[in-house]
Amino acid sequence: MTARVGRRAVLRILGAGLTLPAGILGLRATRSAPEPVRWQGDALGALAGMTLWHTNPTVARHAIGRMLVELERLETVFSLYRPDSELSRLNLDGELAYPSRDLIDVFEQSRRIADLSGGAFDPTIQPLWQLYAHGTRSDESALREAALARVDYTAVTFGARQIRFDRPAMAASLNGIAQGYITDRITEILGNEGFETAVVELGETRALGTDPDGEPFAIGLLDPRAPSRIERDVGLANAALSVSGGYGTPFGAGPDHHIFDPRTGRSATGLAQVAVVSPKAIWADALSTAIYVAGESSARDLLTAYPRSRAIMTRGDGSWTEIGVG
């Protein structure tokens, strides 16, 4: 199956010898030794990369090999593009017996952010994605309402023995949170193995430590009105970054894109871009989507629930504001 590239998937590591097609983030090269060891590939159908710094490059290469084994395992849980994954089987059958702890954890985190955001974040958004991806427009109200009737995060029952949908023809997409979970998992394994400096980009970006010069990694944020141009840098040290913007996956030439408001069935339009920095990638991932959908006025309350998080919100006119909480 051909990999699809979405809003978070397309990354660039600038000036460091690893170039992915123009996209959401740019990691600026550092100036000093040790030399970085890099991998690029895909995760959940998205372009991805890892950069590790170690005095012994062989150690770093072996670590990347181990991380790829773990990444493959997590693909068998969360991928929408693999028919044998746990998520694909849940969507097909409406239930899944004895789900992995990984899948349960992500549904638990999804429920928390869904409750906090009043349903602005909803993991059961997949019926709307399927509808729009097949060419439906937002003004086709009957089709939209039929799909929207199958979107309801409260209609998911999950536990150690089973996950099930409580209505027929429901389906989940965890792309708004699972990429953060995977990014955290890989970063934390590297930290437990003794790595002090790394950047993991598996749909979201998380920095382990600082760059070899002792400075935060400079991550470039795109201008949502001109996504080929980097507008500003964000410093990242022992933290994660997630970016949400409708420009990542538009449906046709109109206003429709892949970040849906589950309360209306239409694409969210209140903000042009939301970037969230948080200690964990799963928090940043879910928050950027929730704030993008719920709007600027919701940001402070949502951020308060996730300590040491901040959001940079860009409005449609290009103005922006930043909100942070302790």
Side-chain angles (χ1 to χ4, degrees):
M1 179 177 293
T2 302
R4 300 182 183 180
V5 179
R7 66 179 174 88
R8 318 214 182 138
V10 193
L11 314 176
R12 282 192 300 170
I13 298 182
L14 302 178
L18 169 56
T19 303
L20 306 181
I24 303 302
L25 307 174
L27 169 61
R28 307 302 171 83
T30 58
R31 297 186 297 277
S32 63
E35 290 297 317
V37 174
R38 306 180 185 89
W39 166 84
Q40 71 175 89
D42 66 84
L44 298 184
L47 294 174
M50 285 183 273
T51 307
L52 278 58
W53 283 262
H54 196 280
T55 54
N56 185 340
T58 300
V59 172
R61 286 192 291 269
H62 287 170
I64 286 176
R66 293 191 297 276
M67 296 311 100
L68 295 181
V69 172
E70 177 66 1
L71 183 57
E72 170 67 15
R73 185 188 71 81
L74 292 168
E75 287 267 358
T76 68
V77 178
F78 296 112
S79 176
L80 284 170
Y81 307 113
R82 297 177 57 150
D84 61 338
S85 75
E86 290 189 30
L87 183 58
S88 292
R89 288 186 283 127
L90 172 63
N91 286 343
L92 178 64
D93 299 333
E95 61 183 14
L96 179 71
Y98 298 103
S100 65
R101 184 68 246 179
D102 301 285
L103 191 60
I104 295 169
D105 285 349
V106 170
F107 268 105
E108 287 175 346
Q109 292 291 329
S110 296
R111 177 64 62 89
R112 180 177 190 238
I113 187 70
D115 285 339
L116 289 168
S117 66
F121 181 96
D122 192 320
T124 67
I125 204 73
Q126 185 69 0
L128 286 170
W129 167 273
Q130 293 168 330
L131 184 70
Y132 281 83
H134 285 89
T136 300
R137 302 185 309 274
S138 60
D139 58 359
E140 296 182 59
S141 58
L143 291 173
R144 188 183 69 251
E145 290 300 321
L148 193 56
R150 296 184 278 130
V151 175
D152 183 358
Y153 75 91
T154 68
V156 182
T157 301
F158 54 88
R161 297 177 64 87
Q162 184 188 59
I163 298 177
R164 73 170 188 271
F165 297 131
D166 298 334
R167 299 180 194 169
M170 291 181 67
S173 169
L174 299 173
N175 285 351
I177 192 167
Q179 289 170 321
Y181 180 88
I182 292 171
T183 301
D184 284 336
R185 173 71 179 161
I186 296 299
T187 306
E188 288 161 9
I189 291 174
L190 289 170
N192 290 338
E193 291 197 358
F195 283 86
E196 297 180 351
T197 305
V199 175
V200 177
E201 298 175 297
L202 302 175
E204 313 308 331
T205 299
R206 184 167 169 181
L208 183 61
T210 61
D211 76 21
D213 297 328
E215 299 294 329
F217 290 97
I219 308 296
L221 291 186
L222 295 186
D223 181 346
R225 297 176 300 166
S228 63
R229 184 176 74 87
I230 290 179
E231 186 175 41
R232 66 175 65 89
D233 285 343
V234 174
L236 210 61
N238 282 315
L241 171 68
S242 176
V243 181
S244 292
Y247 54 82
T249 307
F251 295 115
D256 300 328
H257 58 76
H258 71 297
I259 308 178
F260 301 106
D261 186 336
R263 301 161 299 187
T264 66
R266 298 177 183 272
S267 300
T269 58
L271 290 164
Q273 179 175 272
V274 176
V276 172
V277 176
S278 193
K280 293 187 177 183
I282 192 171
W283 295 358
D285 195 2
L287 282 167
S288 67
T289 301
I291 294 171
Y292 187 91
V293 173
E296 183 177 335
S297 62
S298 72
R300 187 171 298 280
D301 286 344
L302 286 169
L303 291 166
T304 298
Y306 295 88
R308 293 179 289 131
S309 298
R310 60 191 173 99
I312 304 167
M313 296 168 286
T314 304
R315 307 179 184 98
D317 62 4
S319 63
W320 61 279
T321 186
E322 180 172 346
I323 295 176
V325 298

